[in-house]
Amino acid sequence: MTIAGIDLNMLANAGFPLASFEPGEVVFAEGDKGDKMYVVRSGEIDIERDGVVAETLSAGGIFGEMALIDGSPRSATARAKTACEVAPINEKSFLFLVHETPFFAIAVMRTLAERLRRSVPRG
Amino acid sequence: MTIAGIDLNMLANAGFPLASFEPGEVVFAEGDKGDKMYVVRSGEIDIERDGVVAETLSAGGIFGEMALIDGSPRSATARAKTACEVAPINEKSFLFLVHETPFFAIAVMRTLAERLRRSVPRG
């Protein structure tokens, strides 16, 4: 077991019910109250902040984890860039996955760490 | 079991060997290669970026988790603000804790999420 190279596709393939979005459709909007995170199963999702695309996620990518972890309003808007399928994960499933699947917890941490490194201005 | 209100003191109290630092002493420096994270047991730790204190941690706070999660060099310097004791956690212990202690994984995620929210400029 190593930390590097974890693939969240296994999660998206693990039988969580999927939600479908058409291009341009909003999954959630900045400022919304949130109680789910999402794993991208197919297609692409844009993460927009103040109307600017900060990140584009494809299969295996996760988003919306912040509101689930700390209960704060959505810090960004998630919009389907293409037709896409995502697996919504509510708090109960999240706690189950963290408990039963260390890979899942580490993948969420890695995603947060990557976003944090990108967001910190380097001197 | 809820996500809010997790206290990492239980970890610092759980028998991990402690390291002591005198005021001003550097635990690690920005750019160092890192293979451990730390939980503050007593005293205070300053997290410095480009010579500026970005955050001060006290008992139960965690730091150094980024390098452990993604293997990148230290993104900040950690320096003892007061005499302090910290519990170093290497990769093996980290993986054990994530596996055995969902509270630990969630606390690490929460710390990352808090830092990320603070670091994103708000429009």
Short mmCIF file of all heavy atoms in Angstrom, two decimals, chain A residues 23-52:
data_model
loop_
_atom_site.label_atom_id
_atom_site.label_comp_id
_atom_site.label_asym_id
_atom_site.label_seq_id
_atom_site.Cartn_x
_atom_site.Cartn_y
_atom_site.Cartn_z
N PRO A 23 -24.43 19.41 -20.85
CA PRO A 23 -23.43 20.48 -20.93
C PRO A 23 -24.02 21.81 -20.47
O PRO A 23 -25.13 22.17 -20.86
CB PRO A 23 -23.08 20.53 -22.43
CG PRO A 23 -23.41 19.17 -22.95
CD PRO A 23 -24.56 18.67 -22.13
N GLY A 24 -23.32 22.51 -19.59
CA GLY A 24 -23.76 23.80 -19.11
C GLY A 24 -24.59 23.73 -17.82
O GLY A 24 -24.78 24.74 -17.15
N GLU A 25 -25.07 22.54 -17.50
CA GLU A 25 -25.93 22.41 -16.32
C GLU A 25 -25.09 22.56 -15.03
O GLU A 25 -23.95 22.10 -14.98
CB GLU A 25 -26.60 21.02 -16.35
CG GLU A 25 -28.05 21.03 -15.90
CD GLU A 25 -28.66 19.62 -15.98
OE1 GLU A 25 -28.27 18.82 -16.86
OE2 GLU A 25 -29.51 19.33 -15.14
N VAL A 26 -25.69 23.20 -14.03
CA VAL A 26 -24.98 23.44 -12.77
C VAL A 26 -25.26 22.30 -11.78
O VAL A 26 -26.42 21.98 -11.53
CB VAL A 26 -25.42 24.80 -12.17
CG1 VAL A 26 -24.92 24.96 -10.74
CG2 VAL A 26 -24.92 25.95 -13.04
N VAL A 27 -24.18 21.71 -11.25
CA VAL A 27 -24.34 20.67 -10.24
C VAL A 27 -24.60 21.33 -8.89
O VAL A 27 -25.51 20.94 -8.16
CB VAL A 27 -23.08 19.78 -10.16
CG1 VAL A 27 -23.26 18.67 -9.13
CG2 VAL A 27 -22.75 19.20 -11.53
N PHE A 28 -23.81 22.33 -8.55
CA PHE A 28 -24.12 23.20 -7.41
C PHE A 28 -23.46 24.55 -7.67
O PHE A 28 -22.55 24.66 -8.49
CB PHE A 28 -23.68 22.59 -6.07
CG PHE A 28 -22.22 22.23 -5.98
CD1 PHE A 28 -21.24 23.20 -5.88
CD2 PHE A 28 -21.82 20.90 -5.96
CE1 PHE A 28 -19.89 22.86 -5.78
CE2 PHE A 28 -20.48 20.55 -5.87
CZ PHE A 28 -19.52 21.54 -5.78
N ALA A 29 -23.98 25.57 -6.95
CA ALA A 29 -23.50 26.94 -7.18
C ALA A 29 -22.78 27.46 -5.93
O ALA A 29 -23.13 27.08 -4.79
CB ALA A 29 -24.67 27.85 -7.52
N GLU A 30 -21.78 28.30 -6.17
CA GLU A 30 -21.05 28.97 -5.10
C GLU A 30 -22.05 29.57 -4.11
O GLU A 30 -23.00 30.23 -4.53
CB GLU A 30 -20.15 30.05 -5.72
CG GLU A 30 -19.13 30.64 -4.79
CD GLU A 30 -18.10 31.51 -5.54
OE1 GLU A 30 -17.95 31.36 -6.77
OE2 GLU A 30 -17.46 32.34 -4.87
N GLY A 31 -21.84 29.33 -2.84
CA GLY A 31 -22.72 29.88 -1.81
C GLY A 31 -23.83 28.94 -1.38
O GLY A 31 -24.43 29.14 -0.32
N ASP A 32 -24.12 27.90 -2.22
CA ASP A 32 -25.14 26.92 -1.83
C ASP A 32 -24.72 26.21 -0.55
O ASP A 32 -23.53 26.05 -0.27
CB ASP A 32 -25.27 25.81 -2.91
CG ASP A 32 -26.05 26.27 -4.14
OD1 ASP A 32 -26.54 27.41 -4.14
OD2 ASP A 32 -26.14 25.47 -5.10
N LYS A 33 -25.71 25.78 0.21
CA LYS A 33 -25.44 24.86 1.30
C LYS A 33 -25.22 23.48 0.67
O LYS A 33 -25.96 23.10 -0.24
CB LYS A 33 -26.63 24.85 2.24
CG LYS A 33 -26.39 24.09 3.53
CD LYS A 33 -27.42 24.44 4.60
CE LYS A 33 -27.44 23.35 5.68
NZ LYS A 33 -26.09 22.86 6.03
N GLY A 34 -24.21 22.76 1.13
CA GLY A 34 -23.91 21.49 0.49
C GLY A 34 -23.86 20.35 1.49
O GLY A 34 -23.38 20.54 2.60
N ASP A 35 -24.34 19.17 1.08
CA ASP A 35 -24.24 18.02 1.97
C ASP A 35 -23.79 16.78 1.21
O ASP A 35 -23.99 15.67 1.67
CB ASP A 35 -25.57 17.78 2.69
CG ASP A 35 -26.72 17.53 1.70
OD1 ASP A 35 -26.46 17.56 0.48
OD2 ASP A 35 -27.83 17.29 2.16
N LYS A 36 -23.18 16.99 0.04
CA LYS A 36 -22.68 15.86 -0.76
C LYS A 36 -21.36 16.23 -1.42
O LYS A 36 -21.12 17.40 -1.73
CB LYS A 36 -23.66 15.54 -1.90
CG LYS A 36 -25.00 15.01 -1.50
CD LYS A 36 -25.79 14.62 -2.76
CE LYS A 36 -27.24 14.34 -2.41
NZ LYS A 36 -27.96 15.56 -1.98
N MET A 37 -20.52 15.23 -1.64
CA MET A 37 -19.41 15.38 -2.56
C MET A 37 -19.72 14.52 -3.79
O MET A 37 -20.70 13.77 -3.81
CB MET A 37 -18.08 15.01 -1.93
CG MET A 37 -17.97 13.59 -1.41
SD MET A 37 -16.26 13.14 -1.03
CE MET A 37 -15.62 12.81 -2.69
N TYR A 38 -18.88 14.62 -4.80
CA TYR A 38 -19.14 13.93 -6.06
C TYR A 38 -17.85 13.34 -6.62
O TYR A 38 -16.78 13.93 -6.48
CB TYR A 38 -19.70 14.91 -7.10
CG TYR A 38 -20.99 15.56 -6.69
CD1 TYR A 38 -20.99 16.70 -5.89
CD2 TYR A 38 -22.21 15.02 -7.09
CE1 TYR A 38 -22.18 17.29 -5.49
CE2 TYR A 38 -23.41 15.61 -6.69
CZ TYR A 38 -23.39 16.75 -5.90
OH TYR A 38 -24.56 17.33 -5.50
N VAL A 39 -18.01 12.18 -7.26
CA VAL A 39 -16.92 11.59 -8.03
C VAL A 39 -17.35 11.59 -9.49
O VAL A 39 -18.47 11.15 -9.81
CB VAL A 39 -16.61 10.15 -7.59
CG1 VAL A 39 -15.44 9.58 -8.39
CG2 VAL A 39 -16.29 10.10 -6.10
N VAL A 40 -16.50 12.09 -10.38
CA VAL A 40 -16.83 12.09 -11.81
C VAL A 40 -16.68 10.68 -12.36
O VAL A 40 -15.64 10.04 -12.19
CB VAL A 40 -15.90 13.05 -12.59
CG1 VAL A 40 -16.30 13.07 -14.07
CG2 VAL A 40 -15.94 14.45 -12.00
N ARG A 41 -17.75 10.22 -13.01
CA ARG A 41 -17.71 8.90 -13.62
C ARG A 41 -17.36 9.00 -15.12
O ARG A 41 -16.57 8.22 -15.63
CB ARG A 41 -19.07 8.21 -13.43
CG ARG A 41 -19.26 6.94 -14.19
CD ARG A 41 -18.21 5.89 -13.78
NE ARG A 41 -18.24 4.77 -14.69
CZ ARG A 41 -19.02 3.70 -14.53
NH1 ARG A 41 -19.78 3.59 -13.48
NH2 ARG A 41 -19.00 2.74 -15.42
N SER A 42 -17.97 9.97 -15.79
CA SER A 42 -17.66 10.19 -17.22
C SER A 42 -17.92 11.64 -17.55
O SER A 42 -18.69 12.32 -16.86
CB SER A 42 -18.51 9.27 -18.10
OG SER A 42 -19.88 9.63 -18.00
N GLY A 43 -17.30 12.13 -18.61
CA GLY A 43 -17.45 13.52 -19.00
C GLY A 43 -16.54 14.44 -18.20
O GLY A 43 -15.63 13.96 -17.51
N GLU A 44 -16.80 15.75 -18.30
CA GLU A 44 -15.94 16.72 -17.63
C GLU A 44 -16.76 17.74 -16.85
O GLU A 44 -17.83 18.16 -17.30
CB GLU A 44 -15.06 17.45 -18.66
CG GLU A 44 -13.99 16.56 -19.26
CD GLU A 44 -13.06 17.32 -20.17
OE1 GLU A 44 -13.58 18.10 -21.01
OE2 GLU A 44 -11.84 17.15 -20.06
N ILE A 45 -16.23 18.14 -15.72
CA ILE A 45 -16.86 19.13 -14.84
C ILE A 45 -15.92 20.32 -14.69
O ILE A 45 -14.74 20.13 -14.37
CB ILE A 45 -17.13 18.52 -13.44
CG1 ILE A 45 -18.17 17.40 -13.49
CG2 ILE A 45 -17.52 19.61 -12.43
CD1 ILE A 45 -19.61 17.87 -13.52
N ASP A 46 -16.45 21.52 -14.91
CA ASP A 46 -15.67 22.74 -14.63
C ASP A 46 -15.96 23.22 -13.21
O ASP A 46 -17.12 23.28 -12.80
CB ASP A 46 -16.07 23.86 -15.60
CG ASP A 46 -15.40 23.73 -16.96
OD1 ASP A 46 -14.35 23.06 -17.06
OD2 ASP A 46 -15.94 24.30 -17.93
N ILE A 47 -14.90 23.57 -12.51
CA ILE A 47 -15.04 24.21 -11.20
C ILE A 47 -14.76 25.69 -11.40
O ILE A 47 -13.67 26.07 -11.82
CB ILE A 47 -14.03 23.61 -10.18
CG1 ILE A 47 -14.17 22.09 -10.11
CG2 ILE A 47 -14.20 24.26 -8.81
CD1 ILE A 47 -15.53 21.60 -9.67
N GLU A 48 -15.79 26.52 -11.16
CA GLU A 48 -15.70 27.95 -11.46
C GLU A 48 -15.71 28.75 -10.16
O GLU A 48 -16.51 28.49 -9.26
CB GLU A 48 -16.89 28.39 -12.30
CG GLU A 48 -17.03 27.65 -13.62
CD GLU A 48 -18.34 27.97 -14.33
OE1 GLU A 48 -19.18 28.68 -13.73
OE2 GLU A 48 -18.53 27.50 -15.46
N ARG A 49 -14.84 29.75 -10.12
CA ARG A 49 -14.81 30.64 -8.96
C ARG A 49 -14.89 32.06 -9.50
O ARG A 49 -14.08 32.44 -10.35
CB ARG A 49 -13.52 30.39 -8.17
CG ARG A 49 -13.62 30.80 -6.71
CD ARG A 49 -12.50 30.19 -5.89
NE ARG A 49 -12.79 28.82 -5.47
CZ ARG A 49 -12.06 27.77 -5.79
NH1 ARG A 49 -10.98 27.89 -6.52
NH2 ARG A 49 -12.40 26.57 -5.36
N ASP A 50 -15.89 32.80 -9.03
CA ASP A 50 -16.10 34.16 -9.54
C ASP A 50 -16.18 34.16 -11.07
O ASP A 50 -15.61 35.02 -11.74
CB ASP A 50 -14.97 35.10 -9.06
CG ASP A 50 -14.91 35.16 -7.53
OD1 ASP A 50 -15.98 35.13 -6.91
OD2 ASP A 50 -13.80 35.25 -7.00
N GLY A 51 -16.84 33.14 -11.63
CA GLY A 51 -17.08 33.08 -13.07
C GLY A 51 -15.91 32.61 -13.90
O GLY A 51 -16.00 32.53 -15.12
N VAL A 52 -14.78 32.28 -13.26
CA VAL A 52 -13.59 31.83 -13.98
C VAL A 52 -13.37 30.35 -13.69
O VAL A 52 -13.48 29.91 -12.54
CB VAL A 52 -12.35 32.65 -13.53
CG1 VAL A 52 -11.09 32.13 -14.20
CG2 VAL A 52 -12.56 34.12 -13.81
#
